[in-house]
Amino acid sequence: NNAVVNCKKYYYTTADGIPGNAIRAIYEDDEKNIWIGTRYHGLAKLAFIPNSNRYQVKEVYSTNNGLLTNAVWCIGLFSSRS
């Protein structure tokens, strides 16, 4: 059974703190954070806010604070384990 129960759809834009609307990559990490990579404006980290049942932008990364480029085309997990 592939039924989805109590599924809600939310839209996040620059008004919510996403650095740009040209989304090129989305990734969910092990802590349930959502990472959004944009074409021109860097990377955003969204954290789940339990009381609101929504995500909130917690950090934005760009060339202003460490990224080599603001164009983020893919996001992946790096593990230092051997």
Side-chain angles (χ1 to χ4, degrees):
N1 187 349
N2 291 329
V4 177
V5 179
N6 294 326
C7 181
K8 291 186 180 181
K9 202 183 317 184
Y10 294 103
Y11 296 92
Y12 295 89
T13 67
T14 54
D16 300 298
I18 302 295
N21 288 329
I23 306 301
R24 295 295 182 253
I26 300 175
Y27 178 78
E28 182 179 19
D29 66 21
D30 293 339
E31 297 174 0
K32 302 297 181 194
N33 297 306
I34 302 291
W35 295 82
I36 298 178
T38 68
R39 170 62 180 97
Y40 302 106
H41 302 287
L43 179 70
K45 176 184 176 184
L46 286 73
F48 187 70
I49 309 300
N51 293 339
S52 69
N53 205 30
R54 291 189 60 152
Y55 283 84
Q56 179 179 8
V57 175
K58 287 296 186 181
E59 299 178 63
V60 175
Y61 301 94
S62 70
T63 55
N64 293 334
N65 59 2
L67 285 184
L68 295 177
T69 179
N70 285 329
V72 178
W73 291 93
C74 64
I75 304 168
L77 175 66
F78 173 77
S79 176
S80 61
R81 292 179 264 178
S82 300

